[in-house]
Amino acid sequence: AQKVTQAQTEISVVEKEDVTLDCVYETRDTTYYLFWYKQPPSGELVFLIRRNSFDEQNEISGRYSWNFQKSTSSFNFTITASQVVDSAVYFCALTNAGNMLTFGGGTRLMVKP
Amino acid sequence: NAGVTQTPKFRILKIGQSMTLQCAQDMNHNYMYWYRQDPGMGLKLIYYSVGAGITDKGEVPNGYNVSRSTTEDFPLRLELAAPSQTSVYFCASSQQLDPSYNEQFFGPGTRLTVL
């Protein structure tokens, strides 16, 4: 069985602070894929990143960066210099070749001006 | 491209009523999914489809039915609504079997309340 744990249910920061959202996963598969989605207050889910289990390179996209560590089964997401528009619920998700996504419970990020 | 569309956006049902949540995608995706999101929780898979005429149960299928007569449409039916089905329902689609391309595109959601 697969499991995704986002231990931080809610984080509050002040604008321009850096913030890291944690994601820990469990799977018995050697091939799997990890995702992050953003759910802004409007409600839709927005895809942010996909990473496969064979690619442990960290990735940076603007103010966003992701740290994938197989040794600790973690796929953490960092926002640098946070902005009010980053306020949302962020979901980490996992799939294997079976094509079914398992979502974590989400982390609500509140960025205050 | 409209992407994934869902109707209605909001609905209030009485216990025992039935309704169909509509979902359509115009991206020619083979794979379609229905999720529910309970307050403060992640999404749970209800049903999914790998192509027209093929559907399968997800994690929480009880109380729901689906059909997939066309590639574009994937309606979700609630036959006897119960308060436990109060949730936000998301439809999603994805392109290929290969999970390397399994970015799922989500619709805007339907907020359903059962009283």
Side-chain angles (χ1 to χ4, degrees):
Chain A
Q2 300 180 142
K3 186 178 179 181
V4 177
T5 302
Q6 295 179 255
Q8 306 150 307
T9 54
E10 200 167 290
I11 300 175
S12 181
V13 299
V14 177
E15 207 170 17
K16 298 184 183 177
E17 285 185 14
D18 298 347
V19 58
T20 296
L21 310 181
D22 298 332
C23 173
V24 174
Y25 62 91
E26 295 176 29
T27 180
R28 295 179 180 174
D29 298 304
T30 54
T31 301
Y32 53 90
Y33 300 81
L34 294 160
F35 300 78
W36 276 94
Y37 281 86
K38 175 182 180 180
Q39 187 179 41
S42 52
E44 76 279 15
L45 274 84
V46 178
F47 167 81
L48 294 177
I49 190 172
R50 170 185 53 244
R51 173 68 64 205
N52 73 56
S53 54
F54 299 108
D55 182 2
E56 288 194 69
Q57 279 191 337
N58 291 332
E59 181 155 338
I60 298 174
S61 176
R63 295 184 297 107
Y64 295 171
S65 62
W66 291 269
N67 183 303
F68 176 32
Q69 292 195 339
K70 287 179 74 171
S71 60
T72 56
S73 297
S74 64
F75 186 43
N76 297 337
F77 172 32
T78 297
I79 302 175
T80 302
S82 60
Q83 300 176 1
V84 173
V85 293
D86 296 326
S87 296
V89 180
Y90 292 86
F91 291 99
C92 181
L94 166 71
T95 188
N96 59 12
N99 213 43
M100 292 173 61
L101 274 175
T102 299
F103 282 84
T107 297
R108 180 178 298 278
L109 174 65
M110 293 179 290
V111 182
K112 299 178 181 178
Chain B
N1 268 356
V4 180
T5 57
Q6 292 182 237
T7 56
K9 289 187 177 180
F10 304 94
R11 185 73 185 268
I12 298 175
L13 285 182
K14 294 182 179 179
I15 294 173
Q17 286 185 320
S18 61
M19 79 163 292
T20 299
L21 281 67
Q22 301 292 344
C23 174
Q25 52 92 10
D26 62 0
M27 297 174 283
N28 203 32
H29 286 172
N30 286 322
Y31 292 79
M32 296 188 74
Y33 315 81
W34 274 106
Y35 293 90
R36 60 176 286 171
Q37 182 184 24
D38 298 328
M41 305 289 286
L43 281 71
K44 293 186 183 295
L45 184 65
I46 305 172
Y47 271 95
Y48 67 100
S49 169
V50 302
I54 306 171
T55 62
D56 208 346
K57 295 178 180 178
E59 185 181 0
V60 290
N62 291 344
Y64 307 95
N65 280 301
V66 293
S67 59
R68 184 96 182 270
S69 57
T70 67
T71 298
E72 293 78 19
D73 301 299
F74 190 40
L76 176 73
R77 180 140 182 99
L78 284 70
E79 290 294 350
L80 291 171
S84 61
Q85 293 178 305
T86 294
S87 190
V88 180
Y89 291 84
F90 288 97
C91 180
S93 71
S94 63
Q95 184 178 17
Q96 296 184 18
L97 173 63
D98 183 348
S100 297
Y101 300 94
N102 187 24
E103 172 189 341
Q104 292 189 14
F105 295 83
F106 285 81
T110 294
R111 185 175 297 275
L112 176 67
T113 302
V114 182
L115 301 174

